[in-house]
Amino acid sequence: MMSYLIAANWKMYKTVGETLEYLEVFLPAVKDLMKIDIMIAPSFTALSSASIKLDAAKKEGEYNVKLGAQNMYYMDKGAFTGEISPIMLTELEVEYVILGHSERRHIFGEKDDLINKKVISAIEHGLRPILCVGETLEEREQGKTLSVVEKQIRNGLAGVEKDMAFIDIAYEPVWAIGTGVNATPEQAQEVHMFIRSLINEMSKGNDEKTRILYGGSVNENNARDLIKEPNIDGFLVGSASLDPNRFYKIITEVMEV
Ligand code: PGA
């Protein structure tokens, strides 16, 4: 199995100053901690400073901390006011990109075909996409959870099934994001097991390197029970990742399992 991936999604919460203050506390805590893959996705404006800080830290010691972006556009360059290209990300040594987050889908109207173009472009540029999928409360109540997730994955990964090894997936039920109500380990496991068999079939068995992360109100108190499930390979954490001590606690909970 691949190492667990514990990823922080800071959304639109931290300035450059706050990002650097966080790393000042967080990096010493995770020095030499190589067993678990850690990813941090600051705001676009803070990526450059975070990248420089991380590089400096890596000259002094071993860190398994990677940078992620929260989104990107699929074109390399052009008249796309306000957008960020994959080339701009790789220039800053960004390695991961979160795509299709439910806030992008629901607030900014992103559809599967746009997300698919972004996934393809990310892979072409050597960025590792974390494709986010998940049902709304209404869809869950109508018994549509698995069919919604299946459609988002099949459409989002159309044409890159053979590249499954370069992709991670995050199952994030919309009703669990930022609400304090996480999916129970059993609820998450049911969907994760379904996703595992789906990507195994789509990739013709080439899915061993694909992590299926759970996201939605993960915190230091529920992380241990969730990670014990056989098909949960890590977390995408929002609120609880904003405090370096809480995020570090989640990482230690995972390490101890
Ligand atoms: P949350 O956010 O941990 O605050 O629920 C998760 C996410 O949106 O990725």
Side-chain angles (χ1 to χ4, degrees):
M1 226 267 301
M2 289 275 290
S3 309
Y4 286 127
L5 170 60
I6 310 297
N9 174 11
W10 288 352
K11 308 190 180 184
M12 200 179 71
Y13 281 109
K14 288 190 191 293
T15 63
V16 176
E18 287 162 345
T19 299
L20 293 175
E21 271 170 36
Y22 184 110
L23 293 176
E24 204 65 49
V25 177
F26 182 70
L27 289 178
V30 295
K31 185 164 182 261
D32 295 327
L33 202 161
M34 307 307 283
K35 246 175 63 184
I36 289 187
D37 292 344
I38 300 167
M39 184 277 264
I40 287 178
S43 60
F44 284 125
T45 56
L47 274 173
S48 174
S49 308
S51 180
I52 292 166
K53 180 107 186 153
L54 212 49
D55 268 353
K58 284 177 182 169
K59 290 202 176 84
E60 309 279 311
E62 297 253 41
Y63 291 90
N64 196 10
V65 180
K66 307 273 163 65
L67 276 185
Q70 299 175 19
N71 183 27
M72 63 170 226
Y73 197 55
Y74 62 88
M75 297 291 283
D76 287 0
K77 55 172 72 176
F80 304 105
T81 302
E83 293 295 318
I84 303 281
S85 88
I87 294 174
M88 296 168 180
L89 298 178
T90 52
E91 183 188 29
L92 301 180
E93 292 167 28
V94 170
E95 295 183 48
Y96 288 86
V97 58
I98 300 169
L99 295 175
H101 188 278
S102 82
E103 285 146 22
R104 299 300 318 169
R105 292 177 190 264
H106 295 285
I107 304 174
F108 301 100
E110 290 196 14
K111 300 277 183 293
D112 282 341
D113 62 337
L114 174 63
I115 296 164
N116 178 238
K117 289 192 175 94
K118 294 181 178 195
V119 170
I120 294 168
S121 168
I123 293 171
E124 278 172 5
H125 287 87
L127 288 158
R128 189 171 181 94
I130 299 178
L131 174 69
C132 301
V133 298
E135 81 289 0
T136 61
L137 184 58
E138 194 185 358
E139 288 162 341
R140 173 163 282 264
E141 285 171 353
Q142 292 170 350
K144 292 185 186 157
T145 298
L146 299 184
S147 62
V148 166
V149 165
E150 174 167 3
K151 186 164 161 286
Q152 289 172 337
I153 291 180
R154 285 197 190 276
N155 292 346
L157 301 184
V160 287
E161 295 86 350
K162 63 177 189 322
D163 298 314
M164 203 64 80
F166 305 104
I167 300 166
D168 293 312
I169 291 174
Y171 169 58
E172 299 204 303
V174 179
W175 49 270
I177 296 178
T179 58
V181 183
N182 59 286
T184 63
E186 297 73 29
Q187 284 173 324
Q189 168 59 20
E190 183 199 4
V191 181
H192 281 233
M193 193 172 63
F194 171 76
I195 294 174
R196 179 56 71 188
S197 71
L198 175 64
I199 61 174
N200 187 268
E201 174 244 300
M202 286 170 65
S203 69
K204 303 196 168 62
N206 189 24
D207 64 320
E208 278 165 34
K209 295 198 168 131
T210 303
R211 271 99 34 119
I212 307 172
L213 314 181
Y214 169 75
S217 298
V218 173
N219 60 39
E220 60 279 34
N221 301 316
N222 57 29
R224 188 183 289 236
D225 283 342
L226 284 160
I227 204 72
K228 279 186 191 153
E229 295 295 336
N231 293 112
I232 299 184
D233 309 317
F235 297 127
L236 182 54
V237 189
S239 325
S241 77
L242 295 174
D243 174 335
N245 298 312
R246 291 184 73 194
F247 189 49
Y248 175 65
K249 186 80 175 51
I250 292 172
I251 293 166
T252 59
E253 289 292 311
V254 170
M255 271 189 329
E256 283 165 21
V257 169

